[in-house]
Each structure stands twice: as C-alpha cells, then as structure tokens.
Amino acid sequence: MSTFEVKIPDLGGHDNVPVIEVLVSEGEAVEAEQPLIVLESDKATMEVPAPKAGTVGKLTVKVGDNVSAGSVICTLELTPATATEKPAPSAEKPAAPSAPPAAAPEKPAAAQAAAATAAAAAAATQTLDVRIPDIGGHDNVPVIEILVADGDVVAQDQPLLVMESDKATMEMPAPAAGTVQGFALKVGSTVSQGDLVCQLIKAASAPAPAATAPTAPTAAESATTLPGPSATRSVLESDTAPQAPITTARPETPPYAGPATRQFARKLGVDLVQVSGSGARGRIVIEDVQAFVKQRLQQPAAAIANAPMLGGGIPPIPAVDFSAFGTVDEKPLARIRKLSAAHLSRAWLNIPHVTQTDDADITELEAFRQDHNRALGKDGNKLTLLAFMVKAVASALKAYPEFNSSLSADGGSLLMKQYCNIGFAADTPNGLVVPVVRDVWRKGLRDIAADCAQLAQKARDGKLSADDMRGGCFSISSLGGIGGGYFTPIVNAPEVGILGVSKAVMKPVWDGQAFVPRLMCPLSLSYDHRVIDGAYAARFMVHLGELLADLRRLLL
Ligand code: COA
C-alpha cells in the first residue's frame, strides 16, 4: 500500500490562509477529488480535494490553523487499484511549494495586462464592459446560473453568473460596483474568454481603479481556478489572488457556499438562497442542503398532522405582525378546534367538492311535528326537525347507495356500506363535533330524535366518547336553529356527502294556479365529485325533497 502526504497547493501567493472546515476524519475512505478541507482567504473560499482515492491517515490540520502552499494536510493511503494504476507521478501530486500544480505554467500574463488596460479605459468612462475572463483555456463553458438581471445594482465582487466546466464550478463576480445593463447571457449559453457578459454603469462615488476591474484573471488565478485537464485539481473554484475574477460567494453575498455544495444543491434542485448555513460565518455546507431537503420532504406530512391550517404542498399564509396595526390578544385554540381544523383542511384539500342547493317544502312536515310535540306535553321527547332530516336522509341513502359509500384507500373501488349511521354537526363552546346516530335504517323517528337529543347534550357537556363520533356514513349540518341561507358544507371525509340544512322560511310558491305560502327549507348538498356525478346528486336532492314534502313516502 502506497502512502503519501497531501499538501496545500499553490495558493496564488497567499500565505497563512485559515482552515475553516475539515471535511474528513482519520481512517475515512475518500474518493479522488472529494473535498478534504476548506480554506478561506479574505477573497475566496477554496476546497482542497483529495488528489486520489484512498484512506485518510494522519490528519495534520484542524479548523483555525493557518496554512500555506506546501503545508501537509494529511497522509493518504492509496487504494491498491489507484496505487497500481497510477503510481503518483510527481506532476499529479498535490502541489507542494516546490511542485506547483501542473496548470500553473499556463499563466496568461499578457491577457492579464491587456485586460487591466481595457478595464482602466472603461473605468474612465464610468461604463465597464464585463467580459468572461480567462477560464483556464477552456472554451464554450456552459452558464448554469444567472444571478443578476438588467437594472440590478451590484456590489464589487458580487457574483453575476455561474459557469460549470467538466472540471469546476466558477462564479464570475462583478469587477466593480455598478448597475447591470445589457445582460446578454442566459442559462445554457456557452461562453469563452472575452465574451461580453454585460455592461456595468459604475456608481460615480465608487470609481474602480484599473487594478480592481479584473475583466481577466491573473495567470495565477486562471491556473488555480480552472486547472487544465492534465492538472491535478488541487483547488476547486478557488480564486486566490487579490481582485480575482472567479470566486465563491463571499460571506456578504448570499448564498455563501462552496462549489461542491452548490453542485450538490443543483442536483437536488435546491435554491441555496433558502438554505441556512451552519458552517463558519454562515457558510452553507452539504449537510445543510441535506437537512433542508429532509425538512422539506417531511413538511407535507407534518403540516397535515400538526399544522391544521397548512396543506401538503400548499404555500403557508405568511405570518403578519398584527401588533403593527393595534393591540392584539392571543387566545390559544381549544384542542377540539385544532383537531377539527386539521380534519376539515384535509377534507377540503383532498376532495373535489360540488354543492347542490334546493328548497324542500316542509309545510306539512312542520305542521305534523308541531301537532305531535304539542300533544306530547312537557315531558315527552320532542320530535326535532333534525330527526326528520336524519330519517329522510337515511331513506334517500337507501335509494341512492353511492352516497352511502367511501372510496377505498387506493382510490380504485367504492366501499358500499350495508349499514346506515348518520352524523350531525353540533356546535359546542369548544368547537365543532360530529356525533353519530347509529343504525338509522332500523330506527323510528322517536328513537332518532331521542338519540339526537342525547348526543347533542353530551356534545355540549364535552362528554362525547370517541365511539360516539366514529363510523358515520353521511353527515348533516343544521344551522336552521340559527338562521341564514344556503352554505357550502365540507364533506366529512371519508364520507362522500353532507347535507347542510338552513332556516326554513315561508315563501310564495306557484302551485299551478296561484302563489301559495309554503314553508321552504334551504338545503345545501355537498358531495365528493370523484364518487358522485352531478346528475346522481340532483336526483338524490329531488328525492330527498319529495320525502320531506310528503312523509308518507318514508313508509315506502
Ligand atoms: N328551519 C327553521 N327552524 C329550525 C330549523 C330549520 N331548518 N332547524 C331547527 N329549527 C328550530 C327548531 O325547530 C327549534 O325551535 P323549537 O324549539 O321551536 O322547535 C330551534 O330552531 C332550535 O333548534 P336547534 O337548537 O338547532 O335544535 P336542533 O335539534 O334542530 O339541532 C343541533 C340540534 C345539535 C344540530 C344544533 O343545536 C346545532 O348545534 N346546530 C349547529 C350545527 C353547526 O354548527 N353546523 C355547522 C357546522 S360547520
């Protein structure tokens, strides 16, 4: 097994650059080009990758150490395949002070001088042509991110775009502060040295001297930022010389992340602007991106389970500081209200609702009910309008059994219920509950009325058990005792229909010869359109109206 020392490569003449992250530990197997440590100068953040695959031996740097070219990072025991395949020729060793990266000799000093001159001239006119600098001799490098738009005011060194060759990801910073104009590139454009990116209208108060208008990198910069294909990539996307054209984001220009992290985020489609950095000075590291994705994946489930006002994939309503507008008292929600809010949100988001409205003529029904209740005297169990509604709905469910069904969990079939339990919404001081009257098909009006009264009382007293609220097939929400017209009740999933009952009022109704006063009860039938067709629902509604209009039909 071959072991060698991994050293800090040429840092463009910089010495004593702080180590801000150590990304591996002793004994860890690493891939070739896997980042080992992160350095940060006052100008750039640089990852130093493993030159070959192997196992990290002794680590000789730690966070906070200052390193220079030639400082030993660690020993690396090469994996046998790598060691045999490539016996670590000196040109491919990580750069040591005596052996700079192979790309170093590619320094285009002439280009640097020419660019500096051009930049100086541009500065004098206060309009600067921003061009792609020397990118290590590469041509047609794809632009993968555009970070500014025409009209944006940018600070000097603020990244304008990101390029990605097969070797590295590079940000191109603004060579001076100013306003972006004529941005000519888009994602997918390919660029080469000298291509025009945009113009910068420089702020008059911040004229940029020629030396700070780096439309082209120094030789050292281009060598270290994008080593040639034969070079060991000792520094990824680094920009180690002052005023260099290609840097990673600086702490004040979010998002602040290294190239490996950016690449990783891009693969997952993560917008780094949304990620908080846990690294030194808020730097975003790969783990932050992983945590962000994990949190986002968990969010829909958590939102449904714990945050009733949110639905999976639905953008949350932004928080508002109401105290900015006046005094606000905070009142915690009762448990029932939280639970029903979650349940209602789920139903509202999952079920395609349709609400059908109609008026039922309950003139005869009400007359019968009043007569019956009068005859009962004080002690008997009164027949409530709700009991009639429950009885009539149960009968309609028999005639239209799809309203008495639920979708199977996989959505592939209908589960047709051969029993009939009907829930009714009850308003309580703590919120809405839906107790269930059981076996309605087997019960007469009196029993149904008694059950409703007993369950409504339990609801008001907060004494309903979980069993009292389970097993419903269809629900009724009666607001008739309060007033108001039609409304759109939310289907009580996994049921497929709900009937809203509003306050009956006397209306003139045409009987074919004349308008006659009739007691008309507004009904609002909401249903799950995945299960119920509109025509089926309309027939159900008409049938229900006929039952309520003529109680004798309930006997049929
Ligand atoms: N039209 C006209 N009058 C009506 C009526 C209607 N549709 N429904 C009820 N009434 C009358 C009743 O006849 C009763 O008068 P009475 O004492 O002279 O007979 C009065 O209004 C009070 O009725 P109510 O308190 O509603 O009793 P109920 O037995 O009809 O209903 C509950 C019981 C539990 C449904 C009811 O108390 C309740 O909580 N309703 C609110 C449901 C709710 O919040 N729904 C919304 C869900 S989002």
Side-chain angles (χ1 to χ4, degrees), residues 301-392:
I304 287 169
N306 307 321
M309 300 309 170
L310 297 180
I314 307 293
I317 295 165
V320 172
D321 177 12
F322 298 106
S323 65
F325 311 109
T327 307
V328 178
D329 292 333
E330 190 165 348
K331 182 181 159 195
L333 288 183
R335 192 178 146 272
I336 289 180
R337 198 170 290 277
K338 283 186 192 165
L339 289 172
S340 63
H343 179 67
L344 291 166
S345 298
R346 248 193 317 264
W348 180 252
L349 290 167
N350 280 293
I351 296 175
H353 281 72
V354 178
T355 303
Q356 158 90 58
T357 61
D358 201 0
D359 284 339
D361 184 340
I362 60 166
T363 316
E364 312 298 340
L365 182 157
E366 186 60 8
F368 170 74
R369 192 178 77 90
Q370 298 286 0
D371 284 351
H372 179 273
N373 286 350
R374 258 193 303 272
L376 265 182
K378 280 186 183 170
D379 301 329
N381 249 338
K382 280 190 172 181
L383 288 183
T384 58
L385 195 53
L386 177 66
F388 284 89
M389 290 292 168
V390 171
K391 182 74 183 165

Side-chain angles (χ1 to χ4, degrees), residues 369 384-385 424-427 432 477-481 501-504 521:
R369 192 178 77 90
T384 58
L385 195 53
F424 64 93
D427 186 27
L432 180 70
S477 174
S478 173
L479 295 172
V501 181
S502 300
K503 187 175 176 65
C521 183

Side-chain angles (χ1 to χ4, degrees), residues 1-284:
M1 183 156 315
S2 158
T3 303
F4 75 99
E5 290 181 329
V6 181
K7 293 179 179 173
I8 300 289
D10 180 358
L11 298 176
H14 283 255
D15 283 333
N16 298 322
V17 179
V19 176
I20 63 162
E21 274 179 65
V22 175
L23 305 169
V24 292
S25 48
E26 291 179 358
E28 187 175 330
V30 293
E31 300 291 327
E33 306 209 339
Q34 179 177 332
L36 299 173
I37 60 170
V38 183
L39 309 178
E40 189 172 70
S41 73
D42 57 345
K43 288 284 166 193
T45 306
M46 298 156 275
E47 287 175 350
V48 182
K52 289 175 178 297
T55 304
V56 176
K58 190 167 172 48
L59 254 177
T60 42
V61 290
K62 60 183 186 311
V63 172
D65 284 356
N66 292 327
V67 295
S68 305
S71 304
V72 176
I73 299 170
C74 63
T75 57
L76 194 65
E77 288 170 7
L78 296 184
T79 53
T82 316
T84 320
E85 220 176 83
K86 291 184 182 175
S90 59
E92 291 201 330
K93 278 186 181 173
S98 56
E106 292 174 14
K107 298 175 181 180
Q112 179 200 6
T117 310
T125 63
Q126 298 297 299
T127 301
L128 181 68
D129 279 350
V130 180
R131 294 182 182 278
I132 300 290
D134 179 354
I135 40 183
H138 286 252
D139 282 333
N140 299 321
V141 176
V143 174
I144 58 164
E145 274 181 63
I146 302 286
L147 305 171
V148 294
D150 277 359
D152 281 2
V153 176
V154 294
Q156 184 176 346
D157 286 343
Q158 181 175 330
L160 301 175
L161 57 84
V162 183
M163 298 166 274
E164 190 170 67
S165 75
D166 55 346
K167 286 283 167 192
T169 307
M170 301 156 280
E171 284 178 354
M172 176 173 175
T179 305
V180 175
Q181 183 180 279
F183 204 97
L185 301 170
K186 54 184 191 305
V187 170
S189 298
T190 52
V191 292
S192 304
Q193 182 180 357
D195 287 352
L196 183 66
V197 173
C198 64
Q199 290 184 317
L200 272 183
I201 312 299
K202 292 197 288 178
S205 57
T212 61
T215 49
T218 64
E221 289 151 11
S222 61
T224 51
T225 51
L226 197 63
S230 62
T232 299
R233 189 167 56 150
S234 299
V235 179
L236 281 183
E237 195 189 332
S238 67
D239 172 12
T240 56
Q243 307 306 330
I246 297 172
T247 68
T248 51
R250 302 170 106 195
E252 68 271 25
T253 55
Y256 176 39
T261 307
R262 285 177 177 284
Q263 201 172 31
F264 182 66
R266 239 186 337 270
K267 272 186 192 157
L268 299 179
V270 171
D271 178 1
L272 282 177
V273 170
Q274 297 181 44
V275 181
S276 315
S278 64
R281 287 185 252 162
R283 186 168 185 274
I284 301 167

